[in-house]
Amino acid sequence: MENLRYLIILLYLASTVSYLLYLFIQKDGFHRAGIYLLIAGVGIHSAEILYATVSSGQLPATNLYDALSIAAWAIALVFLVIQFRYKIRILGIFAAPLAAMVTILSTRLPETPIPAQNIFNSIWFIIHIVSVFIGDAALALACGVGLLYLLQEHAIKAKKRGFFYSRLPSLELLDTTGYACIVVGFTMLTIGLITGFVYAKAIWGRFWSWDPKEVWSGITWILYAVLLHERLTVGWRGRRAAIMAIVGFCVVLFTFFGVNFFMKGHHGQFTTF
Amino acid sequence: MAAIILLGLNHNTAPVELRECIAFSEEDTELALEELHERTEFKEILLLSTCNRVELLLVTDDRETCVAEAKQFLAEHNRVPLDDVEPALYVHEGADAIRHVFRVASSLDSMMVGEPQILGQIKSAYRTATQKKTSGVILNRLLHRAFFVAKRVRSETGIGDHAVSISYAAIELGRKIFGTLEGKEVLLVGAGEMAELAVENLIRHHAGTIWVANRTFERGLELATRFGGRAIRLEEIPESLQHVDIIIGSTGATDLVITSDHVRAIMRRRKNRPLFFIDIAVPRDIDPAINRLTNCYVYDIDDLKEIIDENIEDRNREAIKGERIVEEATIRFSQWCDSLAVVPTIVALRRKMEDIIDEQIDKTLGGLKHFSETDREAFDRMKQALINKMLHDPTMFLKSNGCLGDRSLYLDVTRRMFNLDNER
């Protein structure tokens, strides 16, 4: 299993290098290489997760080691989907290294197996985990697109067309992509929360128990709900939406890591090391 | 041996007053080709005439007479004294002429480096020459090479990238903001050549409705009709900002026509959709402070000029790469020209035969070990005799003057028939 993960890291890293070359040299070949390498990485990664799920009878998300691996897989997967839909090539420069970094981080952690408990077998649990991770990945990409938007916006506003101006797509495309990422992220987060409630009800007998992770997930959800609402009503688009996407993702990160380090709760055991 | 000669004048050597006197129209070009073709010194002729250059590309055996006659012709045909024309003329020969043709076709010699029209102009000049049957084996090959080089320069360097005119620079910026200009509505405030040009370019990019606001409503109406848009009064501008996406300011007004307050009031109703202001008026029509509002972008004439200057610098940098491609092609074409002499062709033909016979002898004798060294020498002598006999008539033919004055054609056919340049 360990070797397989090194292979995955290698593929993600190779994809990162291709995208870096694409950024500097602007030849289509590098972009194509980048995306094929990433597809190969995601393919093997999916197989690894599937194998672990089947052999242990539960989704491998019970410790931080596995959770990070799933996070990386989700980032790469969501990026591929976004790329095919919006043809926003340059986003690879953000997604590929992120996937590589998170996977590397996962291998640096001790693999402390948690004895299989039947609380992890529920279908609600699987949907909960998968949708939350895909949602977080989409929000991570929204943050990346937001950063690119700010770079490009600054180039046009300041009338200083530097390195990025010709390499980044139009503001409109960046804005639409960012919006799409947030819609996907928010939807998945909502599904994740609902399945979480259902699951909590089944296991602990109550929907909501003021667990810090629950609280922070709620805050995140409200934040993105406000962002989407404002966009639809008064048109929070462009610069403000980009900044909000970045701020929102910081909160996501805190919910993902921070809560486990600073606070205790029933999610703690999945992500401690 | 035939020489390639290029003779002409361009924007660097001749002022516009002279260039417009020398220019050839489409019909003039045909007449000129016919007239020159009757003279025996001119074996192949191509005449290129654009607003920035007039050039005669010639193939001749007698360069001195040819150059003198061509100069005389340019002056007489256009009824200009030769003394006026002569100082502006440049004459290139051989590799220099080849390089010049390649540079012109690749738009490296243009007034605006990288402008795309020149290639089309050369193509049509070449078409006229082929119709009048004044181009032959050398010019055909040279021109096809030139088209190929031009294509390579364009695709491998960035000399055609980025706008070098105000209206194109504005379009490029618009596309960086809106992605596509399709359906984007445009408000033209005032009128003026540059502004109208910009609007025409926007229409070519499938922009939506064109709104025209002008001090005199009649003039506005006239413009609006021309663009298939609608005319509004100046007082309606603040209200119209809710609907349009691109605003072009080009009035002669001394005060600002659109202020920051106008825009701020409208952004919320626009749901913050971006606004792109292009201010080409001096003094300015659009408040520069608008650029500080979110999702609003203001570019005035100086900003656009700065972009163009940068782009021109970029093109000039890219042109250096283009020169390298041209140099490569020039060397290769010169080699081909040199090979069109009789002696190298016969030598190459001989070598080819030697190689074939050597190969076959080796193959045959390889299995026959009983031949002595003396026997082998006899085979070698036979080989030489065979080649001499076989090549006798072709050699005599190529060396004779029986080629109806167009020896390069037969040399080229020979080289291609026997694949002497290893092109297959």
Side-chain angles (χ1 to χ4, degrees):
Chain A
M1 246 28 217
E2 195 74 349
N3 286 339
L4 204 55
R5 198 155 293 175
Y6 284 127
L7 176 64
I8 294 164
I9 291 174
L10 199 69
L11 286 166
Y12 287 165
L13 279 178
S15 170
T16 306
V17 171
S18 293
Y19 272 109
L20 270 176
L21 287 170
Y22 176 65
L23 178 68
F24 283 95
I25 306 176
Q26 299 269 288
K27 287 266 189 284
D28 274 359
F30 292 122
H31 157 255
R32 240 174 286 135
I35 204 153
Y36 287 140
L37 286 164
L38 205 62
I39 290 175
V42 171
I44 296 173
H45 210 155
S46 309
E48 190 216 335
I49 293 170
L50 196 69
Y51 174 77
T53 309
V54 171
S55 63
S56 71
Q58 69 189 46
L59 202 65
T62 49
N63 55 22
L64 196 55
Y65 172 90
D66 286 328
L68 283 179
S69 157
I70 292 195
W73 168 82
I75 288 166
L77 185 73
V78 173
F79 164 70
L80 287 177
V81 173
I82 295 283
Q83 153 66 25
F84 281 117
R85 173 69 182 75
Y86 290 98
K87 311 264 172 288
I88 182 162
R89 299 170 163 192
I90 207 68
L91 188 57
I93 202 66
F94 180 80
L98 191 64
M101 247 163 48
V102 176
T103 322
I104 291 172
L105 206 63
S106 81
T107 59
R108 308 262 47 93
L109 297 170
E111 194 176 357
T112 42
I114 285 186
Q117 306 166 8
N118 41 11
I119 64 163
F120 300 137
N121 290 340
S122 163
I123 180 74
W124 296 113
F125 176 73
I126 293 178
I127 299 177
H128 172 64
I129 293 292
V130 170
S131 51
V132 164
F133 276 86
I134 287 185
D136 282 357
L139 296 176
L141 290 177
C143 166
V145 177
L147 285 171
L148 296 180
Y149 183 95
L150 291 183
L151 274 175
Q152 182 71 311
E153 200 238 16
H154 179 259
I156 295 177
K157 260 257 142 99
K159 298 163 189 182
K160 295 255 183 303
R161 304 164 318 133
F163 180 77
F164 284 103
Y165 174 77
S166 60
R167 291 172 163 81
L168 291 182
S170 65
L171 291 178
E172 175 66 28
L173 178 63
L174 288 167
D175 191 52
T176 331
T177 313
Y179 177 55
C181 286
I182 285 177
V183 168
V184 170
F186 181 73
T187 313
M188 292 317 249
L189 210 61
T190 311
I191 297 174
L193 284 180
I194 293 172
T195 48
F197 293 150
V198 174
Y199 178 64
K201 176 81 180 161
I203 299 292
W204 295 293
R206 54 181 188 276
F207 287 109
W208 182 271
S209 50
W210 294 105
D211 169 69
K213 194 113 181 169
E214 284 176 7
V215 174
W216 278 93
S217 299
I219 293 172
T220 314
W221 187 87
I222 290 169
L223 195 75
Y224 282 104
V226 168
L227 172 56
L228 284 177
H229 176 263
E230 291 297 292
R231 186 183 178 106
L232 291 173
T233 52
V234 293
W236 261 26
R237 53 166 68 232
R239 185 181 168 79
R240 201 169 301 166
I243 292 173
M244 282 301 287
I246 297 166
V247 171
F249 185 62
C250 292
V251 177
V252 169
L253 278 183
F254 182 75
T255 312
F256 194 92
F257 292 110
V259 168
N260 299 107
F261 298 146
F262 305 123
M263 302 169 204
K264 293 266 173 262
H266 65 228
H267 277 85
Q269 56 176 336
F270 309 140
T271 41
T272 45
F273 61 92
Chain B
M1 183 194 158
I4 301 174
I5 288 172
L6 184 130
L7 172 146
L9 47 83
N10 66 14
H11 52 94
N12 288 326
T13 65
V16 65
E17 299 80 28
L18 182 58
R19 294 206 305 273
E20 59 196 12
C21 292
I22 301 288
F24 287 79
S25 71
E26 188 80 17
E27 275 168 40
D28 267 348
T29 307
E30 291 184 10
L31 288 175
L33 287 177
E34 278 168 17
E35 192 183 331
L36 286 173
H37 201 47
E38 280 167 16
R39 310 185 188 183
T40 47
E41 303 86 37
F42 294 81
K43 289 164 71 180
E44 298 182 33
I45 315 155
L46 180 127
L47 174 59
L48 172 70
S49 176
T50 73
C51 48
N52 284 331
R53 65 179 70 242
V54 175
E55 290 181 348
L56 263 174
L57 183 59
L58 306 163
V59 175
T60 180
D61 283 329
D62 181 357
R63 75 167 293 271
E64 256 120 73
T65 332
C66 187
V67 168
E69 280 197 31
K71 283 181 180 174
Q72 194 72 35
F73 173 80
L74 279 182
E76 275 171 17
H77 189 90
N78 298 293
R79 295 186 195 84
V80 182
L82 181 58
D83 291 342
D84 288 359
V85 184
E86 189 135 30
L89 287 176
Y90 43 83
V91 180
H92 297 304
E93 203 189 322
D96 291 338
I98 295 165
R99 184 179 306 113
H100 187 88
V101 172
F102 289 169
R103 292 189 72 234
V104 171
S106 315
S107 191
L108 292 170
D109 198 49
S110 303
M111 194 185 242
M112 178 57 70
V113 170
E115 57 93 6
Q117 281 92 358
I118 186 67
L119 186 59
Q121 288 162 335
I122 294 187
K123 279 185 176 166
S124 93
Y126 174 59
R127 198 176 311 122
T128 314
T130 49
Q131 275 159 7
K132 292 281 152 198
K133 297 193 172 53
T134 62
S135 73
V137 62
I138 292 180
L139 285 196
N140 284 342
R141 194 166 171 125
L142 178 60
L143 268 298
H144 282 123
R145 239 23 244 177
F147 301 151
F148 178 76
V149 171
K151 209 172 138 196
R152 235 192 106 188
V153 169
R154 191 151 288 274
S155 64
E156 290 181 22
T157 75
I159 71 164
D161 292 357
H162 305 308
V164 286
S165 72
I166 296 279
S167 74
Y168 273 103
I171 298 252
E172 244 179 42
L173 274 165
R175 291 170 59 144
K176 275 290 179 197
I177 294 170
F178 297 112
T180 167
L181 298 174
E182 210 175 317
K184 296 285 172 265
E185 307 209 348
V186 181
L187 170 64
L188 174 62
V189 186
E193 200 188 340
M194 213 191 295
E196 286 166 35
L197 205 63
V199 171
E200 278 163 17
N201 273 327
L202 284 167
I203 292 175
R204 217 167 297 138
H205 281 85
H206 309 289
T209 316
I210 311 291
W211 305 47
V212 183
N214 204 45
R215 193 166 43 84
T216 49
F217 189 70
E218 284 71 28
R219 169 84 174 116
L221 204 58
E222 193 185 301
L223 273 174
T225 322
R226 204 177 104 206
F227 297 132
R230 49 186 291 192
I232 57 170
R233 294 185 179 281
L234 284 184
E235 302 77 59
E236 294 177 278
I237 290 176
E239 197 55 32
S240 72
L241 289 179
Q242 191 182 339
H243 307 286
V244 301
D245 306 289
I246 300 168
I247 296 98
I248 304 174
S250 170
T251 73
T254 44
D255 294 333
L256 294 175
V257 178
I258 301 175
T259 66
S260 195
D261 290 337
H262 288 148
V263 179
R264 203 172 300 136
I266 218 80
M267 276 319 267
R268 202 179 159 86
R269 261 188 285 161
R270 282 183 63 79
K271 290 199 169 181
N272 280 306
R273 279 178 297 119
L275 273 174
F276 178 30
F277 296 86
I278 304 159
D279 192 354
I280 45 187
V282 179
R284 287 184 285 187
D285 285 346
I286 293 157
D287 189 353
I290 294 174
N291 195 42
R292 284 200 289 276
L293 301 177
T294 337
N295 296 332
C296 293
Y297 308 91
V298 181
Y299 273 72
D300 63 32
I301 188 92
D302 283 358
D303 299 329
L304 292 170
K305 273 194 183 135
E306 204 171 303
I307 293 179
I308 290 172
D309 288 345
E310 275 175 39
N311 288 349
I312 290 174
E313 263 173 51
D314 276 353
R315 282 193 176 192
N316 290 340
R317 257 198 303 279
E318 290 299 307
I320 298 170
K321 290 187 209 159
E323 299 284 359
R324 175 178 45 78
I325 295 173
V326 163
E327 204 51 47
E328 256 175 57
T330 307
I331 291 170
R332 287 177 58 187
F333 195 83
S334 302
Q335 283 167 350
W336 177 77
C337 284
D338 293 343
S339 75
L340 282 187
V342 178
V343 177
T345 303
I346 293 171
V347 169
L349 200 53
R350 237 194 129 80
R351 191 168 308 127
K352 173 125 187 169
M353 294 210 163
E354 269 178 19
D355 287 349
I356 293 173
I357 297 178
D358 278 345
E359 200 187 325
Q360 294 308 318
I361 288 183
D362 281 353
K363 233 184 233 171
T364 314
L365 293 192
L368 302 170
K369 300 284 183 225
H370 59 274
F371 282 109
S372 67
E373 201 54 39
T374 2
D375 295 331
R376 286 170 188 274
E377 277 165 21
F379 276 114
D380 206 48
R381 279 196 299 279
M382 184 188 78
K383 177 184 84 180
Q384 297 299 338
L386 269 177
I387 293 173
N388 285 342
K389 295 243 177 235
M390 280 194 292
L391 285 188
H392 178 72
D393 286 331
T395 308
M396 293 312 283
F397 174 74
L398 289 175
K399 279 186 172 168
S400 76
N401 289 323
C403 297
L404 294 169
D406 199 359
R407 185 179 286 144
S408 42
L409 171 65
Y410 290 96
L411 285 168
D412 185 52
V413 167
T414 309
R415 297 192 77 89
R416 284 206 265 170
M417 190 186 276
F418 290 97
N419 190 24
L420 297 182
D421 298 308
N422 284 318
E423 284 176 342
R424 285 196 290 274

